[in-house]
Amino acid sequence: MKAENSVRLVDVWVGVRDPRQAKKVEHPLVELLVVAVCAVLSGADTFVAVEVWGKEKLDWLRKYLKLESGIPCHDTFGRVFAAIDPDEFGAAFLRWVGQVVPTLTNGEVVAIDGKTSRRSGKVGGTPLHLVSAFAAQAGLVLGQRATAAKSNEKTAIPELLATLALEGCIVTIDAMGTQPNIAQAIRDRGADYVLAVKDNQPTLAASIEDFVSAFEAAPGKTPHQFHEVVEKDHDRLEVRRCHVFGQLDCLHAPERWPDLKSFAMVTSERTIKGQTSVDRRFYVSSLLPDAQRMNDAVRRHWRVENSLHWCMDVVFGDDQMRARTDHAAQNFAVLRQFVLNLLRLAPVKRKGGLKVQRLIAATSDAFRAELLGLV
């Protein structure tokens, strides 16, 4: 993945319309959003914290913004984020990603996965569930789509795919997204797919299980490819074994899956402090049978858990965010992903994880300005 020079922060949000009545606007929308980005980058996880940080750093902010009316109160931040059209806000994010990361490396694994912001729902309501596209190798969020009320990821994934430039990529999705129309949507974007098969496709899963049972009874008689990876980390040992097959006529209705070329079994054997567990997963793919490539794609898919979802919760406090009015939770979640990308695209890397990077951004005007492309 290639990253270009940074885009001016004030230009990122130009296409987002101000939802307020023009005569009543005291704080320009772009300035309000830039302050919010700076504050979140510096460790603010709530609208109250954004206000407090902004007031403390008002002199520094005025080097780059007019802020004629000072810093908005936290209620103003909350009301504006609640009223902004989330489609426009998400589109601004996509445009920015397209400018700073115009091309994905051929073969880049793009993991599609959803995360629920657990405290974002009102009493008796449904909390925000955001489906994100994550470039696993680069560690960057490429785009996101919230699931509609009374809906699920099956509807959000095709909408998200339609917004992404995926030519030459490998798109990986867990079982919820294993649907023929989603596989077709991926192929329409010029990408290959690796889709997990579980009980959501029971007949297909059963046909793979039957094939694997016959294979394990006489492995030498069944053409296949095999790849094994062993990883050791302190008290943890993991062995991942991948078997890939091309006997598509043994599957149930293989014609339902566009450009299907292989299916796979990935077995993970984990030993932690003497306790061993074994997990077996099945996949269908438009990739030609290649056990090493399949094993790598599956391994990279799970980076979305540690490098995105875990970071959102532990580093940015996503699960503790209680913005529940209209679109506030969704827009603020997108802003956090924007800041995550800023940190990952840092022109000069600093020691320490994302928490440390935010701490440095909070205390160092120079580092903050560097991350924001102000110098």
Side-chain angles (χ1 to χ4, degrees), residues 199-222:
D199 292 340
N200 63 311
Q201 295 288 342
T203 311
L204 176 62
S207 66
I208 296 177
E209 288 175 354
D210 290 343
F211 180 91
V212 167
S213 296
F215 163 72
E216 291 179 330
K221 297 181 180 180
T222 305

Side-chain angles (χ1 to χ4, degrees), residues 211-330:
F211 180 91
V212 167
S213 296
F215 163 72
E216 291 179 330
K221 297 181 180 180
T222 305
H224 66 281
Q225 288 199 22
F226 174 75
H227 182 256
E228 179 179 278
V229 175
V230 178
E231 292 185 351
K232 296 180 180 179
D233 183 17
H234 301 295
D235 293 328
R236 181 177 180 273
L237 171 67
E238 180 173 4
V239 181
R240 284 190 306 276
R241 302 181 180 92
C242 179
H243 295 81
V244 177
F245 310 95
Q247 294 87 336
L248 304 182
D249 55 344
C250 295
L251 301 183
H252 172 73
E255 69 280 357
R256 295 178 63 227
W257 304 94
D259 301 324
L260 180 66
K261 293 184 177 65
S262 63
F263 62 101
M265 171 180 67
V266 177
T267 304
S268 298
E269 182 178 311
R270 298 181 184 87
T271 301
I272 302 175
K273 295 182 179 180
Q275 299 295 317
T276 300
S277 62
V278 178
D279 179 53
R280 174 178 288 185
R281 295 173 182 266
F282 300 129
Y283 299 87
V284 291
S285 177
S286 60
L287 293 171
L288 290 168
D290 184 332
Q292 182 173 350
R293 196 177 189 191
M294 181 72 73
N295 209 4
D296 180 68
V298 171
R299 178 180 64 85
R300 289 182 184 275
H301 172 83
W302 294 112
R303 287 187 180 179
V304 72
E305 293 291 339
N306 291 331
S307 298
L308 178 58
H309 300 335
W310 185 88
C311 289
M312 287 295 101
D313 281 342
V314 176
V315 179
F316 291 92
D318 182 74
D319 268 352
Q320 303 303 315
M321 182 62 176
R322 299 191 181 191
R324 296 170 178 149
T325 304
D326 297 329
H327 308 301
Q330 181 175 344

Side-chain angles (χ1 to χ4, degrees), residues 9 33-43 53 60-61 368 372:
L9 195 55
L33 293 175
V34 170
V35 171
V37 169
C38 294
V40 172
L41 181 63
S42 302
W53 182 88
W60 179 83
L61 288 165
R368 188 185 320 111
L372 295 167

Side-chain angles (χ1 to χ4, degrees), residues 159-181:
E159 295 174 357
L160 174 57
L161 290 169
T163 67
L164 303 175
L166 297 170
E167 185 78 30
C169 295
I170 301 171
V171 177
T172 60
I173 310 178
D174 204 8
M176 178 62 78
T178 305
Q179 305 292 332
N181 69 306

